[in-house]
Amino acid sequence: MFDYGINFWAKDDFIIEDGKVKLGANNKIAIIDIVNKVRESGYRGPLLIRFPHLIKKQIDKLFNSFASSIKQYKYKGSFKAVFPLKVNQFPNFILPLVESSLDKDYGLEAGSKAELIVAMAYTNLKSPITVNGFKDKEMINLGFIASKMGHNITLTIEGLNELKTIIEVAKEMESPYPNIGLRIRLHSMGSGIWAKSGGINSKFGLTSTELLEAVNLLKSSKLISKFTMIHFHIGSQISDISPLKKALREAGNIYAELRKMGCSKLSIVNIGGGLAVEYTQHAGFNNRNYTLDEFCGDMVFNLKEIVKSKKEKEPDIFIESGRFIAASHAVLIAPVLELFSQEYDEKALKLKDKNPRLIEELLDLYNSIDERHAMEYLHDSLDHMESLLTLFELGYIDLQDRSNTEILVHLIIKKVIKILKHKNHNEIIRIQEQIQERYLLNCSFFQSMPDYWGLKQNFPVMPLDKLNSRPTRSASLWDITCDSDGEISFNKNKPLFLHDVDVNNEDYFLGFFLVGAYQEVLGMKHNLFTHPTEFSIVLDDEEDLEYRIENLLEAQNILDVLDDLDYDTKEIERILKQRIEESDKINDDDKKELLGKLYIMLSENGYLRTIKNI
Ligand SMILES: *Cc1c(COP(=O)(O)O)cnc(C)c1O
C-alpha cells in the first residue's frame, strides 16, 4: 500500500527494491546512492537529477507505438515528430535528446527567435524544424536563412498578416524557401487545466474564411507549392481522448477539402501536443483516460477513415509532444531539514513540582495509553489542549505550562500513531487528518515546481529510502521561501504519509518526480532561490551497475544571482568590506576573519546548509 503509487506514474522507469527507489533499468541503481555520492563531494541543497536514458525511452515509445498503429491499419503515410523547445530548452536536456534521436525523423519546434536559433544550431539537417507562434518579419527572415542552410523547416502561419509577410520576404529572397504550414482554428476544445489553446476563441489559428483567403494568397503569389502542412494544437495534458479525436476529424476533413481545392503539395497533418502524462499517486484520480497505444491507434485510424471517404491520399502524421517526452527525465531531490514536531521531545518537558490539573491529566494519559484506549485518550488530550490554550489566553497558566502542554500532546499523538501502526489504514487516516506533521524541505516550490503554485499541478513525491517500513506521519510539505503559498498541504483524499525521522541524526530525502517538462524555465527566483544544482546520470549500459555523473552545474551563487538582477556586485562587495573595516563594533583582529566568512558565503548558493551538513 505504501508504494506511493509508483506503478501509476513511473511504470518501470523507477521501481522500489530493498526499501529504496531505484532506476528501473536492469542495473537497478538506487537514487539515494547517487545523491549520497554527489553530496560527498560537498554539494548541498536541492539537486535536480537528469536521466538521459529516459528521454530516449520516451522518444522510442512514441515512434514505436505510431509505427505499430501504422502497420496495423496499413496506413500509407509516415510518422514524424518535433520536440517543442518551450517545454525544456536546457542544453543538458536538448543535447542528449538530439543525440538519441539521430536515427529518426525527429527535430525541434521553435516558438521564438531564441528558440529558433537553438533549433537551427542543433537540429540535424535531415530532421524537421517547425516554427509556431507569432512572428515578425525578422523571425520569418530567420526561417528563410534556415532553409538556405539546408534545414527542412516549416513556418506555421497563425494569421493572414504573417502569410503576407512571408510573401513579402519571398519576393526579396532567392529560393530555397521554407515550407509553409497553416494553423487551423478548430471548433473542438480540449479538456484539462491547460486546454486554452484550442477552440473557436483560441489565441491562434485561421478560421475557415481566413483559410480560403490564405489559399488564394498562396496561389496568387505562386507559393502554393510550399504549402505542405496543416497544424492544430488543442492544449497541453489533454485528459480525455474524445476532444482530440474530434479535433483530428475536423482537421482531417479540412486537409481533404484543401487538397481538393488544389493544394496538391499539402501532405502533412500536424496534430500538435497534448499527449498527457500520468502524474497521479492515487487510484481513481487518473490524469488521462487513454494509453499511448490507444492514442496512436485513434489518430491513425480516424485519419485513414476520413481521407478514405473523401478519396484523398493518406497524409503523413506529425506530432509535437513535449510533456510526454520530457517529464520523466528529471527528478528533484529535496533534503528534509526539519520536522515541525521534532523539538517536542520528552527531554524538553520541564514539569513543575505543582502543575495545573489538566497538565497532570495529560501526563496520566501519556503514561497509561494502550491500544484499547488509544483513540479515546487522543481525543481527550486534544480537548485538554484546547482548554489549556484558553486558560493561557485568559492568563491563568504561564508560558512554561503552555510549552509542557504542546510537548505532552505531541508525545501522545506520536505514541498513539505508534501503537495503532499495524491497525487498518482508515483508522490511521482518521487520526492523521487531525494531526499532521510539517516537513520543511530545502527547496523552493516556486523555483522547482511553478505549476504547483500556478495551476495546483501535483507531482509524485516519495522518500528515496526507508520504503521497507511503514510511514506513519500524515505530511504537509513546506519549502524554505517565506511565502505561505510554498506549502503542499495534506489532502485526505490523496494522503501523503512520510516517516517519523530524527533529521538531526539521519538524512531523509524526498524525490519529486516528473518535473522535466515546463518547470525549469517557468521557475521563479522568488526570494532569490535559483535553479538547483543539476547533473545527468549517464548509463553506458543499462545492465551495468556503473554510471557516470556528467554535466554537473552548481546552483548559481549569491553574487551571480544579484548580478542577474543588475546589481553592481563589485559595489556590493566594496560596501560590505568598507562597513566591516570601518565598524567600531568589531575587533581589528577579527575583521579579516569575518570578511573571509562573508566572501565564502557570497560564493555559495543561497539554499540552506544545516550545522550537521557543514
Ligand atoms: C506547447 C505546445 C506543444 C507541446 O504540448 P505538450 O502538451 O507539452 O505536448 C506543442 N505544440 C504547440 C504549438 C505548443 O504550443
Side-chain angles (χ1 to χ4, degrees):
M1 184 180 289
F2 289 101
D3 61 1
Y4 296 90
I6 196 166
N7 296 323
F8 297 131
W9 55 264
K11 290 290 186 294
D12 51 0
D13 293 348
F14 299 97
I15 55 164
I16 297 175
E17 194 185 76
D18 308 328
K20 296 173 178 175
V21 195
K22 296 184 173 180
L23 286 185
N26 292 336
N27 59 32
K28 305 204 169 108
I29 295 166
I31 300 183
I32 186 89
D33 296 343
I34 298 172
V35 169
N36 286 331
K37 188 162 170 182
V38 168
R39 285 170 61 90
E40 271 165 26
S41 315
Y43 297 100
R44 288 291 179 266
L47 300 170
L48 186 89
I49 313 183
R50 298 186 198 277
F51 295 102
H53 72 281
L54 293 180
I55 309 174
K56 179 168 182 341
K57 184 171 173 182
Q58 292 305 98
I59 299 172
D60 288 349
K61 263 195 202 169
L62 187 65
F63 274 81
N64 291 340
S65 189
F66 265 103
S68 69
S69 294
I70 282 174
K71 196 164 161 209
Q72 181 188 348
Y73 294 111
K74 301 194 172 60
Y75 190 80
K76 290 185 205 69
S78 64
F79 174 72
K80 298 182 171 68
V82 284
F83 178 80
L85 279 161
K86 78 161 190 280
V87 179
N88 195 324
Q89 305 93 336
F90 279 70
N92 291 336
F93 170 79
I94 289 298
L95 302 187
L97 172 130
V98 169
E99 194 179 325
S100 58
S101 58
L102 290 177
D103 58 336
K104 298 187 171 64
D105 262 329
Y106 194 54
L108 297 172
E109 183 261 3
S112 66
K113 291 174 200 172
E115 287 182 355
L116 182 50
I117 293 291
V118 173
M120 286 163 68
Y122 290 108
T123 315
N124 192 353
L125 284 183
K126 294 196 316 296
S127 301
I129 296 178
T130 60
V131 187
N132 298 321
F134 297 109
K135 303 164 207 63
D136 61 2
K137 189 167 177 183
E138 194 178 86
M139 188 156 167
I140 287 169
N141 258 302
L142 209 50
F144 275 70
I145 295 172
S147 68
K148 292 189 198 312
M149 285 177 182
H151 275 301
N152 166 11
I153 182 171
T154 307
L155 302 179
T156 307
I157 301 313
E158 312 277 355
L160 285 177
N161 281 336
E162 276 179 16
L163 182 56
K164 288 175 190 154
T165 315
I166 289 195
I167 293 168
E168 218 179 288
V169 176
K171 282 188 188 134
E172 293 163 13
M173 294 248 206
E174 307 271 306
S175 65
Y177 295 155
N179 290 322
I180 296 170
L182 296 180
R183 179 156 177 177
I184 54 181
R185 188 175 292 242
L186 293 172
H187 176 62
S188 336
M189 285 271 237
S191 60
I193 42 184
W194 287 274
K196 296 185 201 98
S197 318
I200 207 82
N201 294 319
S202 89
K203 191 166 145 194
F204 299 109
L206 302 166
T207 62
S208 327
T209 319
E210 286 166 331
L211 268 178
L212 297 176
E213 169 79 21
V215 170
N216 284 336
L217 278 172
L218 284 164
K219 282 183 178 164
S220 63
S221 58
K222 306 214 162 34
L223 283 173
I224 195 78
S225 66
K226 287 279 134 192
F227 172 43
T228 54
M229 176 189 284
I230 57 164
H231 173 228
F232 68 87
H233 170 70
I234 65 170
S236 197
Q237 185 69 0
I238 302 298
S239 51
D240 179 4
I241 188 114
S242 53
L244 257 174
K245 286 201 277 195
K246 207 158 163 256
L248 185 82
R249 284 195 290 269
E250 222 180 313
N253 278 299
I254 292 174
Y255 158 84
E257 292 292 320
L258 289 174
R259 279 192 54 97
K260 288 190 194 310
M261 286 174 58
C263 304
S264 59
K265 287 285 160 52
L266 175 60
S267 61
I268 303 169
V269 173
N270 176 350
I271 63 176
L275 184 52
V277 163
E278 187 56 81
Y279 293 95
T280 192
Q281 295 193 267
H282 297 93
F285 288 94
N286 293 48
N287 295 133
R288 58 174 198 203
N289 68 355
Y290 54 90
T291 61
L292 175 64
D293 287 339
E294 187 182 341
F295 171 86
C296 299
D298 276 347
M299 296 299 120
V300 173
F301 174 77
N302 278 291
L303 264 183
K304 187 177 172 89
E305 289 296 295
I306 290 162
V307 297
K308 195 161 111 194
S309 71
K310 297 226 159 174
K311 301 198 170 53
E312 278 296 342
K313 165 177 134 108
E314 291 169 7
D316 292 344
I317 299 174
F318 203 101
I319 199 173
E320 299 176 335
S321 273
R323 183 185 299 275
F324 178 83
I325 299 295
S328 62
H329 95 282
V331 181
L332 175 76
I333 309 296
V336 174
L337 290 170
E338 202 176 299
L339 271 62
F340 176 72
S341 75
Q342 78 188 20
E343 66 261 43
Y344 298 121
D345 195 88
E346 219 167 317
K347 288 196 284 286
L349 202 56
K350 298 217 166 37
L351 291 170
K352 301 172 176 169
D353 292 338
K354 185 157 173 37
N355 297 292
R357 190 178 52 81
L358 283 174
I359 291 190
E360 293 290 347
E361 280 183 26
L362 278 180
L363 192 62
D364 260 2
L365 289 173
Y366 177 50
N367 288 328
S368 58
I369 213 159
D370 59 17
E371 184 169 336
R372 200 154 66 86
H373 297 105
M375 289 301 283
E376 182 191 338
Y377 284 15
L378 176 76
H379 290 136
D380 288 352
S381 68
L382 293 174
D383 284 347
H384 286 5
M385 180 167 74
E386 276 306 313
S387 308
L388 281 157
L389 291 177
T390 309
L391 288 175
F392 178 77
E393 275 166 38
L394 298 173
Y396 291 112
I397 65 170
D398 64 16
L399 195 56
Q400 185 61 57
D401 294 328
R402 182 171 156 159
S403 154
N404 290 336
T405 305
E406 288 170 0
I407 295 169
L408 279 167
V409 171
H410 272 93
L411 290 172
I412 291 169
I413 291 169
K414 282 196 181 180
K415 203 160 165 185
V416 170
I417 291 172
K418 202 162 168 189
I419 290 175
L420 295 182
K421 210 158 116 175
H422 62 281
K423 296 274 280 196
N424 99 23
H425 190 59
N426 285 343
E427 196 160 350
I428 296 267
I429 289 189
R430 208 148 50 83
I431 321 173
Q432 301 282 15
E433 263 178 61
Q434 301 170 11
I435 34 181
Q436 297 157 27
E437 180 64 278
R438 289 187 221 159
Y439 289 74
L440 180 67
L441 308 183
N442 199 1
C443 70
S444 156
F445 298 152
F446 298 88
Q447 169 59 238
S448 296
M449 286 176 281
D451 277 344
Y452 170 74
W453 172 72
L455 297 163
K456 287 286 165 270
Q457 168 65 46
N458 277 305
F459 295 91
V461 56
M462 68 185 292
L464 298 185
D465 63 351
K466 297 195 182 299
L467 299 167
N468 280 339
S469 63
R470 186 168 178 153
T472 54
R473 302 308 316 263
S474 48
S476 60
L477 307 178
W478 295 63
D479 74 4
I480 51 169
T481 65
C482 57
D483 191 310
S484 56
D485 278 343
E487 180 202 349
I488 300 179
S489 49
F490 183 75
N491 175 347
K492 70 173 179 193
N493 298 319
K494 304 176 190 174
L496 173 67
F497 293 97
L498 295 175
H499 298 89
D500 200 4
V501 284
D502 176 3
V503 291
N504 291 320
N505 290 316
E506 57 179 333
D507 286 328
Y508 191 57
F509 299 100
L510 298 188
F512 288 91
F513 291 79
L514 301 175
V515 297
Y518 294 101
Q519 305 316 298
E520 293 184 60
V521 144
L522 287 175
M524 300 161 248
K525 291 189 184 169
H526 196 20
N527 269 155
L528 300 187
F529 289 113
T530 64
H531 190 277
T533 297
E534 67 158 84
F535 56 89
S536 304
I537 293 299
V538 180
L539 310 175
D540 288 325
D541 179 347
E542 295 201 1
E543 309 277 330
D544 193 350
L545 263 176
E546 294 294 309
Y547 60 89
R548 278 178 287 128
I549 296 173
E550 287 190 357
N551 306 324
L552 193 140
L553 273 179
E554 199 172 355
Q556 264 190 321
N557 72 30
I558 292 175
L559 276 184
D560 286 346
V561 175
L562 296 177
D563 187 52
D564 277 359
L565 298 188
D566 277 340
Y567 277 100
D568 180 343
T569 53
K570 288 275 166 279
E571 181 177 81
I572 289 182
E573 282 183 287
R574 190 174 48 70
I575 296 174
L576 292 175
K577 183 165 180 243
Q578 190 180 353
R579 290 194 167 164
I580 285 184
E581 278 170 354
E582 289 174 3
S583 168
D584 54 10
K585 298 193 170 60
I586 314 172
N587 288 336
D588 281 350
D589 298 346
D590 295 341
K591 285 184 176 169
K592 232 182 159 157
E593 196 190 323
L594 265 188
L595 255 179
K597 276 190 185 155
L598 196 62
Y599 281 136
I600 288 177
M601 215 180 291
L602 292 176
S603 69
E604 287 176 336
N605 70 61
Y607 286 101
L608 301 190
R609 270 165 285 274
T610 55
I611 305 289
K612 177 180 55 131
N613 287 338
I614 284 176

